[in-house]
């Protein structure tokens, strides 16, 4: 006898649930109602009662499905800025982290953005990132990504209006699961988060960017550039050895032309390494003719090898960017550093110790 496989609720889009639940007498409208009841109310079992629905149908759905839920291992709130870091366990033994970013400055419009992980650990080896030091452990399943948002919504007194795939992992290396999760987060019977408020970030995995463009994905894309000089980039972001700046920028231009949006390029600033007027010139050369926005982020390196620029260095760099580029340059606040929740600081239970052998600042790679 063939056993019916268990349907994992949070793994499926509304359309898939409609097909999977049809044999149990569920029509597409009811499938949508069930999906929204489970996801929006963070239920861990199928409702026992629903308007205009027979209990027999609900019982059959209950028997055929499972609603997996992440286990919360730890939660830390930054006393400095309210950033909150959650440590979750999903299908495997290794926990992973999620950060809740508070946007509470406009009275009456308080909201949160959730920074989700897409993998446990990461294979990309970026020089300044704590996650890189863990190495790659595994890809997260769609439900494990979706449930990071569901559990944080449940724990929050203001709505979650945005999701950024900037936690642990390189989203483009778990492409199918990431896009599946983003679909569930955005669809009307899912969590109904506006696609324009879902941002997928990559360090430069070109096949993923090209696929994202080809598939006309509605989400925002951010590419971490961090150096516009190939040799320097190789020493900071090893992805440059596989996908060169030339190849990357060709894929980025293709995406920008199709989407028509101003291309967001992230730049992790490291003192003495990538914040000189020459770096600004190189960015201008690389992006000539393309509408871009440069997103400056201070490096957060718990080992102390890479340092953020001083106020004076930052000002010179910004002035050079404004003069060379003539396009928007913003500085992203990277909060939660006091609880190791800042960009590049997520390492699960793995402690990242200060590097006592290194001097305070690396010599310039240029
Ligand atoms: S910065 Fe992102 S892509 Fe690079 S190692 Fe860290 S998690 Fe991976």
């Amino acid at each position: 006898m063939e056993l019916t496989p268990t349907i994992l609720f949070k793994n499926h889009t509304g359309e898939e649930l409609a097909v999977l639940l049809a044999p149990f007498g569920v029509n597409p409208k009811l499938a949508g109602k069930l999906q929204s009841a489970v996801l929006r109310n963070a239920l861990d079992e199928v409702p026992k009662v629903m308007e205009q629905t027979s209990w027999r149908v609900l019982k059959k759905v209950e028997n055929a499905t499972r609603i997996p839920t992440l286990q919360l291992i730890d939660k830390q709130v930054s006393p400095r800025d309210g950033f909150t870091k959650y440590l979750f366990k999903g299908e495997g033994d290794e926990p992973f982290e999620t950060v809740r970013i508070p946007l509470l400055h406009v009275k009456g419009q308080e909201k949160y953005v959730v920074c989700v992980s897409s993998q446990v650990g990461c294979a990309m080896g970026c020089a300044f990132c704590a996650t890189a030091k863990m190495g790659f452990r595994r890809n997260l399943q769609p439900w494990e990504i979706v449930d990071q948002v569901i559990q944080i919504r449940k724990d929050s007194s203001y709505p979650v209006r945005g999701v950024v795939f900037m936690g642990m992992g390189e989203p483009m290396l778990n492409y199918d699961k990431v896009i599946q999760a983003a679909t569930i987060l955005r669809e009307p019977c899912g969590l109904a988060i506006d696609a324009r408020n879902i941002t997928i970030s990559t360090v430069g995995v070109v096949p993923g960017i090209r696929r994202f463009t080809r598939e006309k994905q509605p989400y925002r894309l951010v590419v971490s550039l961090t150096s516009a000089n190939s040799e320097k980039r190789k020493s900071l972001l090893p992805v440059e050895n596989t996908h060169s700046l030339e190849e990357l920028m060709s894929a980025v231009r293709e995406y920008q032309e199709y989407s028509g949006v101003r291309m967001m390029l992230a730049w992790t600033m490291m003192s003495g390494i990538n914040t000189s007027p020459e770096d600004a010139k190189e960015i201008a050369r690389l992006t000539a003719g393309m509408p871009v926005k440069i997103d400056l982020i201070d490096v957060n390196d718990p080992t102390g090898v890479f340092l953020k620029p001083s106020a004076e260095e930052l000002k010179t760099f910004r002035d050079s960017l404004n003069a060379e580029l003539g396009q928007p340059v913003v500085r992203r606040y990277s909060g939660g550093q006091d609880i190791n929740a800042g960009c590049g600081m997520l390492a699960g239970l793995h402690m990242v110790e200060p590097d006592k052998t290194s001097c305070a600042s690396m010599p310039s790679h240029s």
Side-chain angles (χ1 to χ4, degrees):
M1 191 181 71
E2 202 178 301
L3 286 174
T4 316
T6 306
I7 301 159
L8 296 190
F9 241 98
K10 298 165 187 168
N11 250 355
H12 296 290
T13 64
E15 225 172 88
E16 289 170 354
L17 281 176
V19 172
L20 291 166
L21 299 178
F24 311 107
V26 174
N27 62 32
K29 194 171 164 205
L30 177 58
K33 272 168 69 180
L34 283 165
Q35 186 193 24
S36 101
V38 169
L39 269 60
R40 304 247 183 107
N41 302 317
L43 301 183
D44 50 19
E45 56 179 34
V46 173
K48 300 260 182 279
V49 187
M50 274 183 110
E51 251 178 53
Q52 298 170 339
T53 308
S54 96
W55 66 268
R56 278 192 193 84
V57 168
L58 292 176
K59 191 71 199 159
K60 281 189 207 164
V61 173
E62 187 189 324
N63 291 338
T65 58
R66 195 159 68 78
I67 305 176
T69 301
L70 295 176
Q71 186 190 348
L72 178 65
I73 309 288
D74 191 29
K75 174 184 165 186
Q76 279 176 277
V77 184
S78 161
R80 209 192 285 169
D81 55 25
F83 274 57
T84 305
K85 187 169 77 166
Y86 297 79
L87 187 68
F88 289 119
K89 224 182 216 186
E91 283 182 5
D93 288 336
E94 288 260 21
F96 53 89
E97 289 170 322
T98 314
V99 178
R100 186 181 67 184
I101 302 166
L103 297 172
L104 309 178
H105 43 281
V106 183
K107 199 152 176 50
Q109 291 177 39
E110 294 91 343
K111 59 189 172 193
Y112 292 113
V113 168
V114 176
C115 176
V116 294
S117 290
S118 55
Q119 299 181 313
V120 183
C122 185
M124 301 311 286
C126 302
F128 46 84
C129 172
T131 311
K133 301 198 172 28
M134 288 174 65
F136 172 70
R137 302 304 166 99
R138 72 179 178 93
N139 284 328
L140 293 182
Q141 295 300 316
W143 79 262
E144 293 175 297
I145 301 173
V146 170
D147 208 36
Q148 293 172 57
V149 182
I150 293 177
Q151 297 310 319
I152 289 180
R153 259 176 118 243
K154 188 175 154 194
D155 188 47
S156 303
S157 39
Y158 297 113
V160 170
R161 295 272 188 243
V163 175
V164 292
F165 284 78
M166 294 182 182
M168 285 182 175
E170 162 53 58
M172 292 298 183
L173 292 186
N174 189 14
Y175 187 97
D176 290 327
K177 310 279 167 54
V178 162
I179 295 296
Q180 176 84 346
T183 307
I184 299 166
L185 292 172
R186 108 178 126 82
E187 57 190 1
C189 291
L191 292 182
I193 295 171
D194 192 326
R196 287 164 304 179
N197 293 335
I198 297 178
T199 300
I200 298 181
S201 160
T202 177
V203 78
V205 176
V206 170
I209 300 173
R210 291 208 190 279
R211 188 172 164 196
F212 192 85
T213 307
R214 214 170 42 241
E215 293 176 353
K216 299 187 171 30
Q217 293 296 345
Y219 314 107
R220 286 178 54 192
L221 180 69
V222 174
V223 172
S224 291
L225 193 56
T226 297
S227 176
N229 171 302
S230 185
E231 283 313 305
K232 202 194 289 188
R233 198 165 189 268
K234 276 182 193 162
S235 68
L236 298 169
L237 308 177
V239 66
E240 176 69 17
N241 293 301
T242 319
H243 303 294
S244 67
L245 266 177
E246 198 186 353
E247 201 193 334
L248 173 63
M249 291 316 285
S250 145
V252 163
R253 283 180 189 275
E254 194 180 280
Y255 169 75
Q256 194 285 320
E257 275 163 27
Y258 131 72
S259 66
V261 299
R262 192 172 278 284
M263 188 66 218
M264 179 84 94
L265 299 172
W267 193 270
T268 303
M269 295 186 291
M270 288 163 265
S271 176
I273 293 177
N274 66 349
T275 52
S276 70
E278 184 51 34
D279 289 296
K281 279 200 182 96
E282 284 175 344
I283 299 175
R285 272 199 294 271
L286 199 69
T287 59
M290 176 171 44
V292 295
K293 184 171 177 184
I294 308 293
D295 194 11
L296 302 177
I297 312 148
D298 285 340
V299 72
N300 291 312
D301 176 15
T303 67
V305 173
F306 296 97
L307 298 180
K308 63 181 189 179
S310 65
E312 196 186 332
E313 193 178 346
L314 173 65
K315 184 179 178 314
T316 310
F317 186 45
R318 283 193 82 147
D319 290 348
S320 309
L321 281 171
N322 289 334
E324 298 291 342
L325 214 62
Q327 302 212 55
V329 176
V330 294
R331 188 176 181 207
R332 194 199 314 159
Y333 175 68
S334 176
Q337 291 166 33
D338 53 332
I339 55 163
N340 282 348
C343 297
M345 298 178 95
L346 303 183
L349 288 176
H350 299 258
M351 295 299 293
V352 179
E353 299 291 346
D355 184 344
K356 300 199 176 68
T357 59
S358 72
C359 48
S361 163
M362 290 262 290
S364 167
H365 292 226
S366 57

